[in-house]
Amino acid sequence: MQKKILIPQKVITFKETDRDTWYKELKKDNSFNNDYKIIPSIVPFYNRQKIIEKAKERPNRYFLECCAIKEYSIEFKRGYYTHSIHLLYSNAWLKINDPSKESFQRELFDDFHNKRYFPPEKLQAAQARILKSEYLIQKNVNPKLPDVWLVKDYPHSLFIEVKKIKEGFVPGQKEGLAIIKKYLECDILIARVFSENENQRGLEFEDIDITDEYYEI
């Protein structure tokens, strides 16, 4: 009998005063200048600048991701918002291709290919699945990288998929989690992020079952 593969779901609540500060800062020309209360200092420079740039278009979404990074920031060396880059699942991001990229992409690319964080053979195995997995080909699914990567020496990185209270999964998200769990052997969790004012004290979420995706992929 196959062992069940379960991904834990954790609750993160934020203060409305932090969200108010977030919106006020985004209106400034020089947003979050030397202010690391919401975007923690573990977020590398160019990734931080990209978060601020994109948050001006999608402020609430990026606020939730930053809440997740902040929640675990003390435990990790760096924290990236992945900006939906297909670092694990696109040929364009393989080490051998190494194409020219924007500064925030280069920053993330270089850490992904740092052997301190992922042994090259394990990263290559994970990246190869989109080409070799009959499951993915038949379902016509592109695995998605989780929203947040918290960086630590292998195998102690943590990947976080950030969700609102009732937000579901889109095609490719569970497959992305399964590849990370199976081939990179790193920790993953789902963070349910919501306001302290939503009166959800004591709310708990069941673990997410990715058993089928894990064994099929």
Side-chain angles (χ1 to χ4, degrees):
M1 185 176 178
Q2 292 178 335
K3 177 184 175 182
K4 277 197 170 186
I5 308 299
L6 303 174
I7 304 301
Q9 296 198 83
K10 304 292 185 182
V11 168
I12 297 174
T13 56
F14 60 82
K15 296 179 180 179
E16 282 297 336
T17 52
D18 284 344
R19 183 151 62 179
D20 290 343
T21 299
W22 174 261
Y23 276 92
K24 289 176 183 176
E25 284 292 325
L26 290 176
K27 293 177 181 178
K28 298 179 181 179
D29 292 335
N30 198 8
S31 302
F32 299 100
N33 184 33
N34 296 320
D35 185 339
Y36 298 97
K37 292 191 293 291
I38 300 177
I39 306 177
S41 59
I42 67 166
V43 178
F45 177 79
Y46 292 111
N47 195 272
R48 175 185 171 88
Q49 297 308 114
K50 196 66 177 180
I51 286 173
I52 294 168
E53 175 191 328
K54 288 192 171 184
K56 291 179 185 290
E57 300 172 5
R58 299 182 65 194
N60 192 58
R61 185 69 209 180
Y62 278 79
F63 175 70
L64 300 182
E65 268 84 8
C66 286
C67 288
I69 297 174
K70 179 183 176 182
E71 180 76 8
Y72 294 95
S73 61
I74 195 170
E75 304 172 37
F76 294 89
K77 295 180 177 180
R78 279 191 286 285
Y80 282 101
Y81 180 69
T82 62
H83 299 289
S84 300
I85 294 173
H86 293 168
L87 276 162
L88 286 178
Y89 320 122
S90 170
N91 280 338
W93 293 91
L94 297 176
K95 180 70 172 176
I96 57 172
N97 291 333
D98 195 20
S100 176
K101 302 174 179 68
E102 294 183 52
S103 296
F104 85 96
Q105 295 173 326
R106 168 59 59 187
E107 194 175 57
L108 183 53
F109 180 91
D110 287 347
D111 267 349
F112 243 81
H113 290 282
N114 185 331
K115 63 183 180 181
R116 288 178 59 191
Y117 307 133
F118 304 116
E121 66 276 9
K122 289 191 176 293
L123 185 57
Q124 290 165 11
Q127 290 176 316
R129 294 320 298 158
I130 196 166
L131 299 176
K132 296 180 180 179
S133 171
E134 289 296 326
Y135 170 86
L136 292 175
I137 293 170
Q138 290 173 6
K139 293 195 71 172
N140 192 28
V141 169
N142 289 319
K144 298 183 182 299
L145 194 64
D147 299 302
V148 170
W149 172 37
L150 293 166
V151 184
K152 213 169 188 179
D153 288 358
Y154 186 80
H156 302 295
S157 279
L158 173 65
F159 290 88
I160 303 177
E161 182 64 38
V162 180
K163 297 287 186 185
K164 300 175 185 176
I165 294 180
K166 297 181 179 180
E167 186 177 358
F169 289 83
V170 301
Q173 286 184 331
K174 287 186 178 181
E175 286 79 6
L177 299 177
I179 286 177
I180 291 170
K181 189 73 175 175
K182 185 172 184 177
Y183 294 97
L184 291 185
E185 301 173 350
C186 291
D187 289 332
I188 312 166
L189 66 82
I190 311 300
R192 297 283 177 177
V193 185
F194 49 88
S195 168
E196 62 182 357
N197 292 350
E198 291 187 62
N199 194 26
Q200 300 290 343
R201 183 176 297 178
L203 183 66
E204 295 182 357
F205 294 87
E206 293 182 356
D207 294 344
I208 298 296
D209 191 337
I210 61 164
T211 304
D212 291 344
E213 291 83 1
Y214 181 91
Y215 288 108
E216 292 287 346
I217 214 158

